[in-house]
Structure formats: C-alpha cells, structure tokens
Amino acid sequence: MTTADRQIERRWEQLHTWGPYGLLGVGVVLAVASAGRTDRSAEWYTAWNLVGAAVALQLWWHATRSRRADRGRVPSRAGTVYYIVRWAMAFALTWIDPFFAFYAATGYMDADELLPGRWRRLGLFASAVTVAGAQAGGLPLHNGVRWTLFAGLLVANSGLQMAIAHITEQEVQRGRERVETIAELQRTNTALHQALDENAALHAQLLVQAREAGVADERRRLAAEIHDTLAQGLTGIIAQLQVVANTPDRDLARVHVDRAVDLARHSLGEARRSVHNLAPVALESDGLPEALEKTVTEWAERTAVRAGLTVTGPVEQLHDEIAATLLRIAQEALSNASRHAAPTRVGVTLSFLGDEVILDIRDDGRGFDPDAVRRGGRTRAGGFGLGGMRARAERVAGTLTVESAPGRGTALSAHVPLIRHE
C-alpha cells in the first residue's frame, strides 16, 4: 500500500468515526434553530433523550470499533446491532423533526462496513425511507400529494444509493482481484528468478560438457593427424634408411638419404603445424576474418596454391567458441585440400547473415565420393578430418555439409549460429 493509499484509508476511518457525531450535531442545531424557542413539549423531551442515547451509542461503538481495529472492515453481529439501533433512533428523531434526517444519512456511509451480504441493501433502503420522509415534509405523511412525493423521493434516494453500493462492491472486487494478480505476479516472478538461476547453472554445466567434448574431439583429431602425417613420414624415413643400409651403391644411397631428409623436414613442418593448431592463437589478437585471412595467406604461400578469402555481410565480434570452431574447420579443410585434393585454386567465403555465420570452402581438386565417407570408410580424400569438422560444427549447434565428386572438386559449407562475444 502506497503513502497516498494509507492517507485515504486514514481519512475514511476518521469519517466513519466522527461523521455520525457531526451529522447528529448538525441535526440538533438546525432542529433547535427552526423551533424558534425552547420547546418543552413531550416530543422534545423525547428528542433530547434520544440525542443523549445516540451519543452514548456512538461512544460505545467507537470503543468497540477500536478494539476490533485489527480485524479490518469486516461486518459483525455487533456492527449489525449498532446499525439497526442507530437507524431506529434516527427514524424516531426524524419523526420528531425532519432536520434529524442528517443523522439518518449516516446509514449511507457505513452500510458496506456494518451489514453483511443482502442485509446491506435492506439497510440502505431503510435509511432512504427516513431521508425521503424528511425531504417530503416530515413524518408522518398526511395527504396523497406528500405520499406521492415521498414515493418519488424514496425511489430516487434508494436507486442512487443502490447504484453507488453496486459500484462500490465492484470496486472492492476489482481491488481484491488486483491484490490477487499482484500476488500471482510476485509468485511468477519468484519462479522466473528460480528458472533463470537453474538456466544459468545448466548453461555452466553445458559449457563444461562442451569443453570436455572439445578436449576429446581434439585428442581424436590429433591422433588422426599424427597417423596421417608424422607416422607416415617416420615410416617413409625408416624405409629410405633401410635401403641405404642394404645397398653398396653410394650414389643410390645418397638419393635415398636425400629422400629421408626431405621426409624428415616435411614431418617436422607437419609437427609444428599440429602444435600451432592446438590453440587458435591467431584469435588472441585478431577477429575471425583477420585470423582466416592470415591462415589462407600462409597456406597459399606454403602450398603454392592460389587461395583467397571473401567476407560478406556486417562483421560481428563472435563468441570465442564459435570463432575457434570456424577457424579450426577452415584449417582442417585447407590441410585436407593440400594433402589429398591437389587443387590449383581454393576459395574461402565467410558470410554474416544476422542469426548465423556460414563458412564456405571450395576447391577445384580431384574430389572424392562423400557416400564412401558416410558409410564409415576412411578414404584417401576424406582422411579423418571430415568427421572431426562435422563434430566441431555440431558441438556448437551447427551443421556441416560436403558436396564433392571424383574429379570435380569439393565444396564444404559450415553453418553455425551467430553468437556474439560476451
């Protein structure tokens, strides 16, 4: 409840407490003033006694209401008795003098607080009877004209009060509904915070699992790469040295030694490349486009193959995991192309499309049969790298598609969600 609401509540409380005293006082003053002189008749003795009784009734109810303040505005048996006795006194006073109808009007103020359910309408109607009688010239009514006037005034008074009571009840109902809605929103907000906390914990868990999966995937990739490069190179070196050891021809031995040295140098280069690819150091100081540009340029210089990078769309700073995944896929695709495809030209395209990033790598090499790779065979063209690239893309909720045919080149496309850098 706001400060303004509390102030309004306090003023209503003051009106319900002191209003009956004030209206009773107004009725007494106007009744005495209209009499012109002090009337000693029995009616006035009765009126003064009723005024005293009304004051005593108000004092009693004031004390009773104060004791029940902690229960709020809830109708009670004591409140119903108070309302009925007060109405009877007001009716009797108004019968003596119409100006006491001011006191009878107090029944309009607190019927919703004192009377339960359908009794509320009856209480308002009873108060309207007293007020309409005073407005018609005072009770009792002596002729048909005054009865007609009384009937019209009664309809007007009771209809107005009933309408006000109905509107008040609707407002109270809407207030209750608002309170219930606010409480429900608070419960929903609490549940939402709990869900967000659980989501954050789940997100952290998924990141841990993704890192673990990345480590396992990297181990498999390194195992395949060592098998395809270092192990094969060492096998070739051993074969060349065995020929040298078994031939007496020095010239032939020199040829095989030179071949062994070339194989050793190539294997050393492959080892350095593998170590370099353990972590995307190119991304430490550059964004993905710059890192890809360097990777493509260095690859082209090393293999003497024409290669270029094209970037389309508004460039975004990508999440580290997304950028690293695309860079790894590009490195692996270029490595496969140099080892297996023998291309003369390679084109790399990085496209930013709002909600996703696409990496396309196309070459004009010898190509291969993708169906053979999907059936589980390790082909000369596919190596172990294709499955590793696909696993990398899927780990970040992406996809990898390959189009190729023997003698017709290869087109590789990786689609991953565009997740911005945190």
Side-chain angles (χ1 to χ4, degrees), residues 63-266:
T64 303
R65 195 165 183 270
S66 299
R67 289 195 299 270
R68 299 181 66 257
D70 57 331
R71 304 181 190 178
R73 295 185 177 182
V74 179
S76 64
R77 182 174 298 178
T80 303
V81 171
Y82 162 71
Y83 189 93
I84 294 173
V85 173
R86 188 185 64 188
W87 173 84
M89 291 182 177
F91 183 84
L93 286 169
T94 304
W95 190 282
I96 294 172
D97 192 297
F99 282 114
F100 283 108
F102 281 98
Y103 183 52
T106 56
Y108 295 153
M109 297 191 309
D110 50 13
D112 59 330
E113 178 184 347
L114 300 176
L115 299 178
R118 296 178 180 177
W119 288 95
R120 193 171 302 150
R121 297 286 196 279
L122 183 59
L124 289 173
F125 181 78
S127 297
V129 168
T130 306
V131 173
Q135 293 171 339
L139 299 171
L141 304 172
H142 299 292
N143 55 58
V145 174
R146 294 182 63 182
W147 275 104
T148 302
L149 180 61
F150 167 76
L153 290 170
L154 178 61
V155 170
N157 279 276
S158 60
L160 178 62
Q161 293 306 317
M162 296 299 178
I164 293 175
H166 179 68
I167 294 172
T168 302
E169 289 176 357
Q170 288 186 327
E171 186 64 29
V172 170
Q173 181 62 28
R174 283 195 293 267
R176 293 196 189 101
E177 292 174 354
R178 282 194 293 268
V179 170
E180 293 174 357
T181 301
I182 292 172
E184 182 64 26
L185 288 175
Q186 289 175 341
R187 289 193 294 270
T188 303
N189 190 42
T190 302
L192 179 60
H193 279 295
Q194 292 175 350
L196 289 175
D197 292 340
E198 293 174 359
N199 185 58
L202 180 60
H203 179 68
Q205 182 180 357
L206 290 176
L207 286 178
V208 172
Q209 292 176 351
R211 292 190 183 98
E212 292 175 351
V215 170
D217 180 64
E218 195 69 15
R219 288 174 178 171
R220 288 191 295 269
R221 188 190 69 81
L222 286 175
E225 189 160 329
I226 290 172
H227 179 274
D228 284 350
T229 57
L230 299 182
Q232 292 180 8
L234 291 174
T235 300
I237 292 171
I238 292 172
Q240 298 298 324
L241 293 178
Q242 285 176 343
V243 173
V244 171
N246 295 327
T247 181
D249 188 341
R250 295 180 63 85
D251 292 336
L252 182 60
R254 172 59 60 185
V255 172
H256 287 285
V257 168
D258 290 341
R259 290 178 180 175
V261 170
D262 290 340
L263 284 171
R265 287 174 178 168
H266 179 74

Side-chain angles (χ1 to χ4, degrees), residues 13 17-18 21 55-70 78 82:
E13 185 73 18
T17 300
W18 303 108
Y21 291 106
V55 172
L57 177 66
Q58 293 302 137
L59 293 173
W60 169 81
W61 177 242
H62 191 180
T64 303
R65 195 165 183 270
S66 299
R67 289 195 299 270
R68 299 181 66 257
D70 57 331
Y82 162 71

